[in-house]
Amino acid sequence: MSLSRSPSPREDGGWSSPGLANAYVDVSGRDSPSARGTDGASWESAKRKTAAVNGGHATFASQNSGFFNRHIRNISNSLPTFHIGREHSYAEKEKLGRGRWAPGGSGLPSRIWSMMGRTSRKLKLRLLIVLAFVFAIILFYTTPLHYYWRRAPFLGGGKKFVIILAANQGGGVMEWKGPREWAIERDSVRNKRKYAAKWGYDLEIVDMSTKKRYAHEWRESWEKVDTIRNCLRKYPEAEWFWWLDLNTFIMEPSYSLQHHIFNNIASNTYRDINDYNPLNIAHPFTDPYLDAESRSPVGDNNPSSINLIVPQDCGGFNLGSFFVKRSQWTDRLLDVWWDPVSYEQKHMEWEHKEQDALESLYRSHPWIRPHTAFIPQRKVNSFPPGACGDEGNDPRIHYNEADRDFLVNMAGCEWGRDCWGEMYNYRELSNKLNRTWWELFKEELVAPLVEKVTGYRPRL
């Protein structure tokens, strides 16, 4: 601290501080320091003597002189920092020990905070992106929110599809419902509900006991047509309607209808029935009075004009699983299909009822063929062994586990086969084929280890 040379505020020139008030020294402050000391030595001679004592070197060095002194701070900052532990000092306790959380604590949050503080900004940004991605997966795939974003037209488009499931088959004048039928219905309904919820589709479960309304005219099992018309009115924003019989089971719930069929409907369907024609229907029409579209084997060959998609089994059309599109053509078809006049004339000849009625319409009405497409049966309607042959080895018709067929239809199981047994077997097979990685870990690693130790295999 340098002494101030400002004038003294006292009149006699002294200072109020006793250390500065000296009777033998002039400290008035009004005169400059004397060029000579009290012993008569000059200022310059004193400086030369001091330099001779120090060996000719200056006693004061300028700041940051030399390379190391100039860069010592940068070098020290670039070295890694090691935090051995919290400093136990009274200052730390005074500052941070008053009920506040200390970043230098030994708990898990403090260690995470310290680690994050030592990471670079680029690494923090990458970690933030990864966490946001994981959060989005959890939000959109493991919460009910995924149902709504998969229904959105600009994301999943599930709102355009309605699944119509026939349920409560016990009813009418010719049927009785027992415990096994209840079990089949429970598994089938649960299967369709999970699939519809996964992809954002609407599910319409039809109470088939209402067929009693047609019992007076023995028109049971014709209610498919009337039910589809009711669903067209109930879901005005839907585009495609998928009818499913109760004895069906979706084997691969990971397949969406969009990806499996409708995103590339032209390659997944065929318009010319001659590609597979078990009914030997003459196609196309050759009458000269018809237009070119009606006489063409593929209609206008425009995928957007397809309004009906039907699979064929070994006996012809199969309506256990088929698709109908909302259109004026569909309204016209349903009206003609449901026409009681044709029913009264042919119901004794049509063994398969509304299925035979549709085949008859396809044979005789040229306007129906250009808008009807067929789909390979194993695409949406695979059969188990016993349907269309006891061996079950027809590559066009029967289910193939290796190919992971989409759906199984236990058609005709009520005639000499075990419907519940088939439903149970295919349900267990579907669960096995669609196990998650965690289920695989438990069943393939944990269960064998438990079996070796305890002697029995647990069901995890």
Side-chain angles (χ1 to χ4, degrees), residues 86-98 102 104:
R86 181 177 175 179
E87 295 180 2
H88 297 281
S89 64
Y90 291 102
E92 291 293 325
K93 293 180 180 180
E94 179 66 21
K95 293 179 181 179
L96 302 176
R98 298 181 179 178

Side-chain angles (χ1 to χ4, degrees), residues 12 16 41 44 107 191 239 295 311 360 437:
D12 55 357
S16 61
E44 293 296 333
N191 174 249
E239 181 180 0
R295 288 185 282 113
S360 176
W437 66 269

Side-chain angles (χ1 to χ4, degrees), residues 30 59 61 105 207 239 252 264 266 327 365 397 408 413 430 438 459:
R30 292 182 175 87
T59 59
D207 186 1
E239 181 180 0
E252 299 295 333
N264 197 2
S327 64
H365 291 262
I397 295 174
V408 174
C413 64
S430 176
W438 176 244
R459 185 182 179 126

